[in-house]
């Protein structure tokens, strides 16, 4: 881990993702401010912490005031355990029955929502003499996974009364947290199920990042923050967004590996989708391409930053490389850094700006950038 000085980046590639751990710490603290002191906070670190690196960010996340980590699979939970993470871990998605024993052995909580799941929990207890820790997942309108409303009361009563299982939570997930009407419908269903089943002595949770910022009444015993931990926002009402202070954690950078001076009328990259308009056009190449998770659809649509100024990306993005027009920038040499995402001086390029150009969400952009790019952690 690099200290407070500006990092000297040394990787085996002239391209890397930079993760600012101080920003994670500040984001967690700002999210915590939205919650009452008695409300626990779960940080979602699935998909390698949305591309930020789960095992490297988890210690900072936990030290900043998080009580539990959420993952998508048992394997992701085991990876954290083997990295020395001792906090409670919950598998938020569906774990196959044959993985239940591994989850129990590694003290990883499971989400269950079928009588078949309960049966497998009992089988695991009888084999290894250790109770599975479970959270009951309710489907209140997301219609992805979870026990349906019709069967939920009986299921909750059977699970919570089972002597072979430790019930640690009951939860649901908001499908349209940006939509107040839809969210309230889900919450009403959730409350009705909880009241009728008389759940007690376990964590009740429903709010994701958007939900915890938008609906205080849905904080219950615990809230789950995902993308907000990494300084990015889901769709929220403008007035809600304006009251939230989060800082983008991820940057993407590459060193210039070649500079060439081209005459007017010279094509750049495959297909000549960009042709120079002036003589003495100065083109810089960096070793980042679509195999690194930068969509080819961004070709000729994005900018980089160098010496605190914007430079346009030109030509089709290739598998391993892309080019920038640096004609108007003075004192640029091979080895200098171009920032594709992040800040340089007073300029800033957001992950959301890429997501908007791709007609997708910021989650997808960060998750893409984890295939080949080394991570450098700064503070």
């Amino acid at each position: 881990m690099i200290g407070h000085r500006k990092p000297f980046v040394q990787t085996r590639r002239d391209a890397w993702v930079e993760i600012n751990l101080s920003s994670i710490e500040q984001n967690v603290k700002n999210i915590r401010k939205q919650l009452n002191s008695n409300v626990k906070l779960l940080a979602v670190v699935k998909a390698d912490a949305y591309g930020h690196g789960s095992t490297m960010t988890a210690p900072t996340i936990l030290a900043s005031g998080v009580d539990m980590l959420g993952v998508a699979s048992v394997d992701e939970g085991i990876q954290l355990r083997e990295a020395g993470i001792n906090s409670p871990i919950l598998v938020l998605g569906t774990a196959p029955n044959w993985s239940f024993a591994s989850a129990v052995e590694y003290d990883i909580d499971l989400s269950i929502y079928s009588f078949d799941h309960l049966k497998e929990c009992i089988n695991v207890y009888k084999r290894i003499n250790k109770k599975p820790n479970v959270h009951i997942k309710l489907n209140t309108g997301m219609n992805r996974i979870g026990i349906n409303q019709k069967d939920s009361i009986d299921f909750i009563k059977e699970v919570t009364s089972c002597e072979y299982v430790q019930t640690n939570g009951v939860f649901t997930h908001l499908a349209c947290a940006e939509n107040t009407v839809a969210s309230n419908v889900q919450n009403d269903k959730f409350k009705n199920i909880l009241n009728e089943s008389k759940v007690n002595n376990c964590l009740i949770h429903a709010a994701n990042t958007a939900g915890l910022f938008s609906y205080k009444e849905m904080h219950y015993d615990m809230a789950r923050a995902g993308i907000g931990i990494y300084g990015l926002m889901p769709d929220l009402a403008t007035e809600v967004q304006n009251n939230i202070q989060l800082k983008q954690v991820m940057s993407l950078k590459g060193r210039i590996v070649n500079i060439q001076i081209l005459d007017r009328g010279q094509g750049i990259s495959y297909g000549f989708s960009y042709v120079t308009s002036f003589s003495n056009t100065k083109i810089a190449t960096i070793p980042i391409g679509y195999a690194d998770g930068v969509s080819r659809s961004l070709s000729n649509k994005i900018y980089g930053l160098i010496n605190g100024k914007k430079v346009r990306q030109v030509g089709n993005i290739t598998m391993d490389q892309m080019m920038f027009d640096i004609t108007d920038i003075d004192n640029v040499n091979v080895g200098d850094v171009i920032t594709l995402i992040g800040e340089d001086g007073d300029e800033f390029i957001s992950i959301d700006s890429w997501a908007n150009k791709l007609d997708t969400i910021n989650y997808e952009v960060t998750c893409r950038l984890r295939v080949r790019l080394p991570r450098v952690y700064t503070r």
Side-chain angles (χ1 to χ4, degrees), residues 33-296:
K33 290 177 183 177
Q34 305 293 319
L35 306 173
N36 290 331
S37 59
N38 62 328
V39 176
K40 293 182 181 294
L41 179 61
L42 178 149
V44 183
V45 295
K46 65 181 180 178
D48 202 26
Y50 296 58
H52 293 73
S54 59
T55 59
M56 293 297 290
T57 57
T60 298
I61 289 171
L62 292 166
S64 302
V66 163
D67 304 285
M68 180 181 290
L69 300 176
V71 296
S73 68
V74 174
D75 282 345
E76 287 184 341
I78 291 173
Q79 184 181 28
L80 290 168
R81 287 283 184 252
E82 291 182 341
I85 303 301
N86 296 318
S87 71
I89 296 172
L90 170 62
V91 178
L92 295 164
T94 304
N97 287 9
W98 49 262
S99 71
F100 280 24
S102 295
V104 174
E105 289 168 357
Y106 281 89
D107 289 318
I108 297 168
D109 290 19
L110 292 160
S111 294
I112 66 170
Y113 54 87
S114 73
F115 290 98
D116 190 48
H117 289 161
L118 177 57
K119 181 180 177 181
E120 183 58 30
C121 286
I122 295 170
N123 290 338
V124 168
Y125 175 81
K126 290 179 177 179
R127 287 203 310 269
I128 64 177
N129 197 33
K130 186 176 180 182
K131 286 185 179 183
N133 291 305
V134 303
H135 289 233
I136 299 169
K137 176 65 180 287
L138 305 182
N139 176 22
T140 58
M142 181 72 172
N143 297 323
R144 185 173 58 178
I145 62 172
I147 187 80
N148 61 56
Q149 191 172 2
K150 176 173 65 72
D151 298 323
S152 59
I153 306 299
D154 289 340
F155 184 68
I156 291 172
K157 289 180 177 178
E158 189 157 342
V159 174
T160 54
S161 64
C162 180
E163 61 181 315
Y164 304 112
V165 174
Q166 174 62 47
T167 306
N168 288 340
V170 179
F171 74 112
T172 194
H173 189 64
L174 300 177
C176 306
E178 71 282 1
N179 184 316
T180 302
V181 173
S183 297
N184 284 332
V185 168
Q186 279 194 258
N187 191 44
D188 287 343
K189 291 179 181 178
F190 189 49
K191 287 190 296 185
N192 289 338
I193 293 169
L194 295 174
N195 291 335
E196 193 169 343
S197 59
K198 297 180 173 55
V199 174
N200 53 48
N201 298 322
C202 64
L203 294 171
I204 307 301
H205 48 113
N208 51 9
T209 295
L212 75 88
F213 285 128
S214 302
Y215 312 111
K216 296 275 187 187
E217 69 276 13
M218 298 185 199
H219 289 178
Y220 292 106
D221 300 313
M222 184 168 72
R224 305 186 304 268
I227 200 69
I229 297 288
Y230 314 102
L232 301 172
M233 291 300 300
D235 289 334
L236 287 174
T238 303
E239 61 272 18
V240 176
Q241 289 195 20
N242 290 341
N243 292 326
I244 301 167
Q245 306 246 329
L246 299 177
K247 187 170 183 181
Q248 182 175 297
V249 170
M250 178 184 286
S251 301
L252 174 62
K253 301 181 180 183
R255 295 187 198 280
I256 296 172
V257 296
N258 187 54
I259 296 174
Q260 54 187 328
I261 309 298
L262 299 179
D263 291 333
R264 178 184 178 187
Q266 297 296 302
I268 307 293
S269 190
Y270 294 119
F272 290 172
S273 63
Y274 181 85
V275 177
T276 59
S277 300
F278 304 97
S279 296
N280 297 317
T281 298
K282 189 161 51 173
I283 301 296
T285 301
I286 64 171
I288 300 176
Y290 60 76
D292 298 300
V294 179
S295 174
R296 190 172 180 274

Side-chain angles (χ1 to χ4, degrees), residues 283-343:
I283 301 296
T285 301
I286 64 171
I288 300 176
Y290 60 76
D292 298 300
V294 179
S295 174
R296 190 172 180 274
S297 299
L298 292 171
S299 298
N300 300 300
K301 297 177 183 177
I302 59 175
Y303 290 83
L305 303 175
I306 187 167
N307 296 344
K309 297 179 180 178
K310 281 188 175 181
V311 289
R312 184 184 174 191
Q313 188 278 319
V314 293
N316 282 331
I317 295 169
T318 66
M319 183 178 288
D320 312 300
Q321 300 173 85
M322 69 176 74
M323 282 63 73
F324 289 85
D325 184 341
I326 60 169
T327 305
D328 296 332
I329 310 298
D330 297 327
N331 302 317
V332 179
N333 300 291
V334 169
D336 288 350
V337 174
I338 292 181
T339 298
L340 281 76
I341 291 173
E343 59 186 355

